[in-house]
Amino acid sequence: MAGNTQITFSRLAAFSGTAIVVGFLGIPLSVYLPAYYSGYLGVDLGVVGIAFSAVQLIAIAFDPAVGFGLDATETRWGRFRPWLFCGGPVLALAIAAIFMAKPGVGAIYLIGWQLLLYFGLSMSNMSNGAWGVVLVPDYHERSRLYAWVQVFGIGGALFCLFLPAILGALGHGGEVSVIHSIGWIAIVLAPLTALLSTGVVPEPASPPRNRISLREYLALVRHPAVHRLVVSNLMLAIGPSLTGALYFFYFQQSRGYSFDQATTLLILYIAAGLLIPLWARMSRRLGKHRALMAAAFGAAIVQCTLVILPMRVFWPMAIGMVIAGFTANAFTLLFSAMIGDVSDEIRLQTHQDRTAPLFALISVASKIGTAIPLAIVFPVLKAVGFNPAPGAMNTPAAIHGLENCFIFAPALAMALGALSLWGYHLSAARHGEIRKALDERDAFVLAAAGIASEPILNPAARVATPVELDAAS
């Protein structure tokens, strides 16, 4: 049954639509908004820094909270669709407040509305990710599903990157116009894509489960496959986090590129993610964990080669950035697909569906891996005497310190992320055995409970409880 579950492209596109909004918002949240609030809106620079940092730290708790909520949800419309549907209006409300703010706002305004925005993003990301696991049970088809989710997200990010140039060509350039235009586009897209996704794509019937306790949640980490995924995801989040924070410092002050050239190289890096479906195909040949190890080792090697490429020569570096983007963009896709496989194994072993809590656990590891390195690397740069001011003359020792932080520290983290998966056991063959056992057990339990075993959620159906599952087994 699990082997014949290919989702149509129309449903796949509708399911992936909310990723456009997530990708579209990523650039302004990290690049445009801090400067906009401190410059045009006149908020104190220190207040802006504290507000954005505080929100990032607090928002780490949102994914586990939403994961618990998803695990406890049981409606006639499904478990995940209500959260995704409600996430659209929540995002639209927060976007309107943040992007259309007037001069005079302060820290409380900025922190409060950002927290709502990040909670909306958690609602969207968590429900979409967990829904994909039950929507597509097949080992290889999951890779295809999450590959296209990522492609849509990258498309949203590229649209945002090109939007200032488009507005400038239309005679509507300028910082305020760009921020407001991003805001209005996101306000429309957030509820529209949520409505399209929940209206077009069905949600399969939820498997039996008890609500997870905090003790059971923490115990998930001890599962061998989960432990490896958490450690690997933590390491593979550290690498891109370091390179992102130091990107313009490295390319302008170490390699001698102009701001426009560095921006073009960044666009090429992001655009390489559009090739991500190739990783889904590679995982069919290698297996997901081997494909992820290959991507991580490849990213580490490419990262080390950037320092030996000719300075101020565009095309060799452009090729290097495309390869770097192609390898690094495989991480999220393959992790998402692998979480679903581990969730199936845990459900077979425990009779409990822990998909949403697992997604939350992996997401927390990723966010910690993104946040912590920044608190370390900037003090290190300060210690070696690096001056980040535009046009500053840095000593060779300071530049060497910058290169070590940008090149070798991320490469080491990504190599450790690959090694963390050594011995990972969930191959395509093993997952096929798990799915066969689950399908047989689910069909037996549904028949025993008098529930039609339809793949689409039956609003009148009552899902069997774990007690009934045990009795029927």
Side-chain angles (χ1 to χ4, degrees):
M1 184 185 299
N4 186 26
T5 55
Q6 188 172 64
I7 186 172
T8 63
F9 187 78
S10 59
R11 282 185 173 174
L12 192 154
F15 179 83
S16 305
T18 54
I20 297 175
V21 181
V22 176
F24 186 72
L25 290 173
I27 301 295
L29 284 174
S30 60
V31 178
Y32 296 153
L33 283 177
Y36 177 72
Y37 269 80
S38 60
Y40 177 75
L41 297 184
V43 182
D44 180 80
L45 185 61
V47 171
V48 171
I50 292 172
F52 276 81
S53 298
V55 167
Q56 291 285 351
L57 292 174
I58 296 171
I60 290 176
F62 287 166
D63 284 350
V66 173
F68 273 98
L70 287 166
D71 193 61
T73 299
E74 192 166 331
T75 73
R76 296 170 65 86
W77 203 33
R79 289 173 59 195
F80 309 119
R81 284 198 290 184
W83 284 84
L84 189 66
F85 180 80
C86 293
V90 169
L91 279 173
L93 178 63
I95 291 166
I98 292 172
F99 284 79
M100 308 302 169
K102 304 295 183 183
V105 300
I108 294 177
Y109 181 97
L110 182 54
I111 291 175
W113 285 110
Q114 272 200 104
L115 287 175
L116 184 65
L117 177 67
Y118 277 97
F119 186 72
L121 287 172
S122 286
M123 292 174 68
S124 179
N125 286 331
M126 291 292 300
S127 56
N128 182 266
W131 183 3
V133 172
V134 298
L135 180 65
V136 179
D138 180 68
Y139 178 88
H140 293 302
E141 186 65 9
R142 277 179 181 159
S143 299
R144 174 174 173 260
L145 174 74
Y146 290 114
W148 281 104
V149 170
Q150 196 165 338
V151 165
F152 276 66
I154 292 169
L158 289 173
F159 179 34
C160 188
L161 282 171
F162 285 115
L163 186 60
I166 296 172
L167 292 172
L170 296 175
H172 299 288
E175 183 180 15
V176 177
S177 178
V178 168
I179 292 295
H180 287 179
S181 296
I182 292 173
W184 281 117
I185 292 170
I187 288 169
V188 173
L189 284 179
L192 181 62
T193 54
L195 177 63
L196 181 65
S197 182
T198 55
V200 171
V201 185
E203 180 178 332
S206 297
R209 71 196 184 283
N210 286 328
R211 295 182 183 181
I212 190 170
S213 67
L214 180 59
R215 183 177 179 180
E216 291 171 322
Y217 188 74
L218 296 176
L220 288 175
V221 184
R222 294 198 296 267
H223 187 281
V226 176
H227 177 75
R228 292 179 187 277
L229 287 180
V230 168
V231 174
S232 181
N233 200 26
L234 178 68
M235 291 295 104
L236 294 182
I238 289 174
S241 174
L242 287 172
T243 57
L246 303 178
Y247 178 83
F248 283 103
F249 295 158
Y250 176 78
F251 277 93
Q252 290 183 267
Q253 302 204 31
S254 173
R255 311 310 294 166
Y257 292 97
S258 67
F259 177 80
D260 289 341
Q261 287 176 318
T263 301
T264 302
L265 290 171
L266 179 60
I267 291 174
L268 291 174
Y269 176 90
I270 296 173
L274 296 175
L275 301 173
I276 204 68
L278 294 177
W279 280 110
R281 293 194 176 189
M282 281 189 231
S283 71
R284 286 181 174 269
R285 293 180 175 272
L286 302 176
K288 292 172 194 172
H289 68 286
R290 294 190 186 92
L292 181 53
M293 292 174 71
F297 277 128
I301 293 170
V302 173
Q303 190 75 13
C304 292
T305 62
L306 296 181
V307 75
I308 63 175
L309 293 176
M311 294 179 61
R312 303 183 185 89
V313 181
F314 182 80
W315 286 110
M317 186 62 75
I319 295 171
M321 291 301 288
V322 168
I323 298 173
F326 175 66
T327 54
N329 273 296
F331 301 164
T332 301
L333 149 70
L334 294 170
F335 271 120
S336 297
M338 290 165 72
I339 294 169
D341 303 337
V342 175
S343 176
D344 286 339
E345 182 177 57
I346 291 175
R347 184 160 78 89
L348 182 63
Q349 294 170 347
T350 67
H351 291 189
Q352 301 298 324
D353 175 31
R354 300 307 186 206
T355 302
L358 279 172
F359 264 92
L361 189 63
I362 299 298
S363 179
V364 167
S366 179
K367 288 183 176 179
I368 291 174
T370 299
I372 288 179
L374 302 185
I376 300 174
V377 69
F378 286 135
V380 169
L381 288 180
K382 183 177 180 180
V384 299
F386 179 75
N387 184 354
M393 297 297 295
N394 281 290
T395 65
I399 294 298
H400 185 63
L402 170 65
E403 290 172 347
N404 285 335
C405 290
F406 182 86
I407 296 293
F408 301 113
L412 176 61
M414 289 185 284
L416 290 174
L419 290 173
S420 300
L421 294 172
W422 192 273
Y424 184 86
H425 68 282
L426 265 178
S427 63
R430 172 58 185 154
H431 184 260
E433 296 171 357
I434 291 171
R435 279 308 318 177
K436 181 180 178 181
L438 282 174
D439 290 342
E440 290 175 352
R441 190 176 72 186
D442 290 348
F444 178 77
V445 171
L446 291 174
I451 303 172
S453 67
E454 298 175 359
I456 307 305
L457 179 68
N458 179 358
R462 179 182 64 81
V463 177
T465 67
V467 174
E468 292 171 330
L469 176 65
D470 291 334
S473 299

